[in-house]
Amino acid sequence: MIDSNIFRDQMTIRRLRLAAGLTMLSYLTLHLSMHALGNVSFEAMQWGTRMHDFVWHSVPGTIVLYGAFAIHLTLAFYALYARRSFRMGAGELVRLVLGFSILPLLLHHFAAGRYVSSTFDVARRYDVVLTVYFSFVPFWGWRQITVLLVAWTHGCLGVHYWLRARSDYHKFAPVLLTSATLLPVLALLGIWQGTHQVLAQWQLHPEWLQMTEARFIKRAPPIDMAAGGKCSTSSP
């Protein structure tokens, strides 16, 4: 059981929340970097996936990541509960709204991706993922892009509010802002390049696409067509 006195120590709460937030931001940084490798080659994206999964899909990585998520979310709800006033600046309001919108946006990704891959020992392959997300059911792909950008913006705002009290923050703030803007842009370009390469390969080898579509339909439960899906199947 968690000692209730921990919630009376505001410094401990802030440190726990910060550590958990930085852990998840590290996950996002590697995730976006993995996508950005698509600007190099599709093979580089596949290599990035293996590195990403080696770190975050391992047992220790999974425990750290989901532990950080649980801690951060719990303390965020507590911070909201403990507020004496809901008066806040626009930036703080944006950070709050973005933070609490991550969970509902992330549920499908966990169910269709992480849970299926781990439970059924399904190897994640970028050719299949990109085809499903941006050819079979584009709505899923755009939803994943949305949650990535929402989570990244929320995390970067959190880092900004953490560091702004430092007297030397203004010296390295432009570098952080440039990095925070450039990485997601490169990731989106990498996704576009990778998808373009995969779809080009499907045109050269249509039998591969038929095999992928057959696996996709065979293994997937129905989805609600009104939710934006183009077919009554789910992600592999």
Side-chain angles (χ1 to χ4, degrees), residues 158-236:
V159 170
H160 166 70
Y161 284 113
W162 167 44
L163 294 176
R164 67 177 180 173
R166 297 182 54 144
S167 59
D168 57 346
Y169 178 48
H170 69 281
K171 296 180 181 178
F172 49 87
V175 176
L176 292 178
L177 178 60
T178 301
S179 302
T181 305
L182 190 59
L183 183 56
V185 170
L186 290 175
L188 293 178
L189 289 174
I191 291 173
W192 184 85
Q193 292 279 9
T195 303
H196 180 74
Q197 293 180 49
V198 168
L199 296 183
Q201 285 297 315
W202 292 144
Q203 292 179 358
L204 293 175
H205 304 280
E207 68 278 7
W208 295 355
L209 178 59
Q210 293 173 3
M211 291 174 59
T212 300
E213 187 171 10
R215 291 174 57 203
F216 176 76
I217 294 174
K218 181 179 179 181
R219 287 173 23 197
I223 63 171
D224 183 4
M225 293 293 290
K230 289 189 175 181
C231 57
S232 59
T233 54
S234 177
S235 174

Side-chain angles (χ1 to χ4, degrees), residues 21-90:
L22 290 177
T23 298
M24 292 186 291
L25 193 61
S26 299
Y27 169 84
L28 283 172
T29 300
L30 187 55
H31 204 76
L32 290 172
S33 300
M34 174 180 69
H35 293 326
L37 288 173
N39 295 296
V40 178
S41 68
F42 178 75
E43 290 71 22
M45 292 183 84
Q46 288 288 77
W47 176 85
T49 302
R50 290 193 293 271
M51 295 300 101
H52 175 275
D53 291 355
F54 175 78
V55 175
W56 294 111
H57 282 209
S58 64
V59 174
T62 299
I63 293 173
V64 169
L65 179 61
Y66 284 99
F69 183 82
I71 291 172
H72 196 73
L73 184 63
T74 300
L75 293 182
F77 276 117
Y78 174 75
L80 192 63
Y81 165 77
R83 289 184 71 99
R84 296 183 177 180
S85 170
F86 285 95
R87 295 182 60 183
M88 63 187 75

Side-chain angles (χ1 to χ4, degrees), residues 93-129:
L93 178 62
V94 169
R95 186 172 73 96
L96 194 66
V97 171
L98 291 178
F100 284 109
S101 67
I102 293 172
L103 184 59
L105 286 171
L106 205 58
L107 286 177
H108 176 268
H109 179 62
F110 172 79
R114 181 69 176 256
Y115 174 77
V116 171
S117 298
S118 301
T119 304
F120 300 102
D121 195 25
V122 176
R124 291 201 312 154
R125 289 169 40 194
Y126 250 119
D127 55 346
V128 175
V129 172

